[in-house]
Amino acid sequence: MKVDWTTFWPRIVEATGETLTMVIATLIFGSIIGISFGLLLFVTRENNILENKLLFQILNVFINIIRPIPFIIFMVAISELTRLVVGTTIGTVAAIFPMTIVASFTIARVVENNLVSIDPGVIEAAQAMGASPLRIIFTILIPEALGPLILGLTFVSVSLIDFSAVAGTVGGGGLGHIAMTYGYQRFDGSVMLVTVIILIVMVQLAQWIGNTLSKKIMRR
Amino acid sequence: MIEFKDVSKTFSLGKRDVHAVKNVSLSISKGEIFGIIGFSGAGKSTLLRLVNMLERPTSGTIFIQDIDVSKLSSKDLRTRRRNIGMIFQNFNLFNSRTVAGNIAYPLKLAGTPKREINKRVKELLNFVGLADKEKDFPDQLSGGQKQRVGIARALATSPDILICDEATSALDPDTTADILKLLKKVNRDLGITILLITHEMHVIQSICDKVAVMEDGEVIEDGNVFETFTDPQHETTQRFIHSVQSDLPSKQILKEWRSSGGGKLYRVIFKGDATNDPVLSTITKKHDVDFNIVYGAVRELQEKLFGNLIVSFTGDASAVQNVLNELNTIVELEEVIENEG
């Protein structure tokens, strides 16, 4: 049975809203946690401004454990934890929880990689001027890495759109859910086409925003 | 001003210990430009970083203005560092900040009020000759301009000491000369004590008052630049001096000289006052001997002249001997031996 497009549009709009909510909320929470972890990972490295082998190893191992797990498996595997924290495993809010965890660790790695590319001499110069470690983090590390960092976050948000679709197939709602239910299970090509087009537009838009912002920050 | 007392620094790389600095004792006086020269890996970079405690010594003490900096807490150390400006080979400017922003950074750290910061930044930009580059970003500047910003930034908090980590090594010869001139101005006009490290002898030659030569973590020779240049004791020091002023023609030329029947060659070294008189001409004329300058140069070092000439004498053998004896009382003289060069 094909859908009736005159009544189905509101459903599409609603699903698009759900997808956007999942992606944006995850990006916000994931960035807060991920940037903190990434900074922590960087400054606790050997010979860095707050060297701490234990903390570095713990963070490093955690990231290495979580990142290789395929998202769909991870989401199902931690569903009990999700229920404990969110109260349910179904719906948009429930999807945001596992998405945030995965995004946090991915962003942590992206942040760390961008920070590593900062010339250590620049940090040394700030130290030589008498800057404290915290001061260096906020006035040197973040501003110096901001351009590439935004590109990294853009890359993460594009994969979050992908994650949100995966989450949709296992009860998360959003465009993924629509595409699976109507497009895949009911063989309605038109629904599939519309959701795919919306997803493409979203990715393009995210990439455009990221590129523009980072270009503005890097000036050239 | 700066005093190293039996300072050592050992890094452990895995199972291996690297002795970067070994038992160094040095004393740098107020108002001096003190140069430390050494090949790469000699430990000079580590030694320099011990001054502002970017590296902590394994043993020994470092006094800066009579304060033992190795005993300072992190917080006191950060305050002390404002009194020691530092510039770098690769400038290490903050790319996310404008020229003015770079210079303002140490002032912000020191808690200087904004109005004063703006005034000070303008002053410094004028001092280093970059008044029109205030709003530029570092990537829009040439190497020499970047180092000028580096110097302005290092001087922002009006330090008593400036330490320079191979500050001209990434620059072309003309720009190097400009930056060295600027450093001299910093020393003369602002009375700032400068400690620099370099592997280029001409840097020492152009601006330093005192020099220390480092090898394998040790200071093998140190003293006044003029004396060290004109009378080097250590082989490494001689090598550095030859890098800026070769005191002999090439082996090929010497060989040709000898095979074409040229006579014995003598090295005549003039220092200071001896360069004012026509010594060679007067003495050879008196004994009726001719002289031929085969090779050599007279150079200026710390505003004194220093000549190194390779000379041959022709005339009656005993007359030549008399010339040599008499020259020897006024200048340094030695025969250039067969396989030298």
Side-chain angles (χ1 to χ4, degrees), chain B residues 164-336:
Chain B
C164 313
D165 180 11
E166 299 271 7
T168 57
S169 301
L171 303 173
D172 63 58
D174 281 353
T175 318
T176 295
D178 289 345
I179 294 297
L180 292 178
K181 221 180 275 168
L182 180 59
L183 288 177
K184 192 104 194 175
K185 186 171 140 192
V186 167
N187 173 255
R188 289 245 168 107
D189 297 359
L190 309 176
I192 293 174
T193 307
I194 297 181
L195 174 61
L196 62 85
I197 61 167
T198 183
H199 62 269
E200 295 168 309
M201 200 60 192
H202 74 89
V203 171
I204 305 278
Q205 187 185 5
S206 347
I207 65 165
C208 292
D209 305 309
K210 295 264 184 71
V211 63
V213 184
M214 271 191 95
E215 191 174 55
D216 292 329
E218 286 173 291
V219 170
I220 52 171
E221 188 163 346
D222 72 292
N224 189 291
V225 168
F226 190 82
E227 275 130 40
T228 311
F229 253 79
T230 53
D231 190 18
Q233 300 300 312
H234 201 280
E235 195 197 332
T236 306
T237 316
Q238 284 163 10
R239 274 166 72 197
F240 275 120
I241 290 167
H242 291 173
S243 72
V244 284
Q245 50 186 57
S246 177
D247 62 353
L248 259 191
S250 67
K251 273 193 171 144
Q252 186 57 35
I253 300 255
L254 281 178
K255 214 170 136 192
E256 275 169 28
W257 168 265
R258 288 187 172 113
S259 62
S260 65
K264 278 183 178 169
L265 291 173
Y266 295 90
R267 174 181 285 123
V268 186
I269 293 173
F270 302 85
K271 288 185 201 170
D273 290 342
T275 51
N276 294 337
D277 305 319
V279 181
L280 264 182
S281 154
T282 319
I283 296 173
T284 48
K285 219 179 263 170
K286 199 166 94 188
H287 297 278
D288 197 23
V289 165
D290 284 328
F291 69 93
N292 178 16
I293 298 173
V294 178
Y295 186 86
V298 181
R299 285 188 174 78
E300 190 187 328
L301 250 181
Q302 287 191 301
E303 285 135 31
K304 280 183 263 184
L305 291 173
F306 166 56
N308 178 333
L309 305 179
I310 305 296
V311 186
S312 82
F313 299 95
T314 43
D316 181 63
S318 65
V320 168
Q321 193 52 51
N322 286 337
V323 167
L324 295 177
N325 290 344
E326 200 170 335
L327 270 176
N328 218 352
T329 61
I330 306 169
V331 296
E332 280 176 38
L333 185 76
E334 59 179 21
E335 194 182 332
V336 177

Side-chain angles (χ1 to χ4, degrees), chain A residues 144-195:
Chain A
E144 289 290 311
L146 199 57
L149 206 62
I150 286 174
L151 286 181
L153 286 180
T154 307
F155 180 81
V156 173
S157 31
V158 169
S159 48
L160 285 181
I161 295 172
D162 179 15
F163 285 1
S164 79
V166 173
T169 63
V170 285
L175 289 167
H177 176 67
I178 297 268
M180 284 305 285
T181 326
Y182 297 91
Y184 180 67
Q185 283 157 4
R186 295 203 205 164
F187 307 107
D188 189 332
S190 63
V191 173
M192 196 58 113
L193 189 67
V194 168
T195 50

Side-chain angles (χ1 to χ4, degrees), chain A residues 119-133 135-136 138-140 143-144 218-220, chain B residues 49 52 54 78 81-82 84 86 88 90 92-97 102 105-106 108-109 137 139-140 153:
Chain A
D119 181 356
V122 170
I123 300 166
E124 191 182 36
Q127 280 181 300
M129 289 174 210
S132 65
R135 192 94 187 210
I136 292 175
F138 290 107
T139 62
I140 305 293
E144 289 290 311
M218 295 196 278
R219 299 177 315 280
R220 285 182 191 181
Chain B
R49 278 161 177 73
N52 59 358
L54 286 174
R78 285 201 287 271
R81 280 177 178 161
R82 286 180 204 147
I84 307 170
M86 185 171 189
F88 306 85
N90 298 317
N92 294 349
L93 300 181
F94 308 131
N95 291 317
S96 57
R97 289 167 199 273
N102 267 276
Y105 189 80
K108 281 186 189 161
L109 287 180
F137 281 91
D139 56 7
Q140 294 168 291
R153 187 177 67 173

Side-chain angles (χ1 to χ4, degrees), chain B residues 113-129:
Chain B
K114 201 162 179 202
R115 280 243 313 274
E116 262 172 64
I117 292 183
N118 292 339
K119 200 175 135 235
R120 182 86 182 120
V121 167
K122 288 216 162 63
E123 246 171 55
L124 288 157
L125 281 170
N126 279 324
F127 183 81
V128 300

Side-chain angles (χ1 to χ4, degrees), chain A:
Chain A
M1 195 186 93
K2 304 285 183 197
V3 300
D4 175 4
W5 277 101
T6 52
T7 55
F8 196 66
W9 271 117
R11 185 74 194 87
I12 292 275
V13 173
E14 188 194 2
T16 308
E18 283 168 3
T19 297
L20 280 175
T21 309
M22 283 190 271
V23 171
I24 291 169
T26 305
L27 196 63
I28 291 169
F29 296 134
S31 294
I32 294 169
I33 302 169
I35 291 173
S36 315
F37 278 6
L39 283 166
L40 213 53
L41 202 56
F42 177 71
V43 297
T44 55
R45 270 172 172 255
E46 205 174 344
N47 294 325
N48 216 317
I49 52 176
L50 290 172
E51 179 178 344
N52 186 325
K53 274 189 189 133
L54 185 72
L55 196 56
F56 175 81
Q57 280 308 328
I58 292 173
L59 276 172
N60 201 32
V61 166
F62 242 95
I63 294 173
N64 286 343
I65 289 174
I66 295 193
R67 287 194 59 218
I69 306 174
F71 180 64
I72 191 159
I73 295 171
F74 179 76
M75 200 181 164
V76 176
I78 67 155
S79 58
E80 282 309 309
L81 188 65
T82 307
R83 194 192 311 281
L84 207 71
V85 175
V86 188
T88 170
T89 58
I90 310 245
T92 309
V93 183
I96 291 171
F97 181 71
M99 279 173 73
T100 299
I101 294 179
V102 172
S104 297
F105 288 106
T106 310
I107 291 171
R109 202 52 109 190
V110 168
V111 170
E112 188 207 13
N113 287 345
N114 283 318
L115 293 174
V116 171
S117 66
I118 295 177
D119 181 356
V122 170
I123 300 166
E124 191 182 36
Q127 280 181 300
M129 289 174 210
S132 65
L134 261 185
R135 192 94 187 210
I136 292 175
I137 291 173
F138 290 107
T139 62
I140 305 293
L141 294 184
I142 295 178
E144 289 290 311
L146 199 57
L149 206 62
I150 286 174
L151 286 181
L153 286 180
T154 307
F155 180 81
V156 173
S157 31
V158 169
S159 48
L160 285 181
I161 295 172
D162 179 15
F163 285 1
S164 79
V166 173
T169 63
V170 285
L175 289 167
H177 176 67
I178 297 268
M180 284 305 285
T181 326
Y182 297 91
Y184 180 67
Q185 283 157 4
R186 295 203 205 164
F187 307 107
D188 189 332
S190 63
V191 173
M192 196 58 113
L193 189 67
V194 168
T195 50
V196 167
I197 289 171
I198 293 173
L199 288 171
I200 290 174
V201 170
M202 268 187 200
V203 170
Q204 293 295 334
L205 214 59
Q207 195 64 53
W208 178 78
I209 292 171
N211 287 349
T212 313
L213 265 179
S214 75
K215 206 178 275 172
K216 205 166 174 182
I217 281 157
M218 295 196 278
R219 299 177 315 280
R220 285 182 191 181

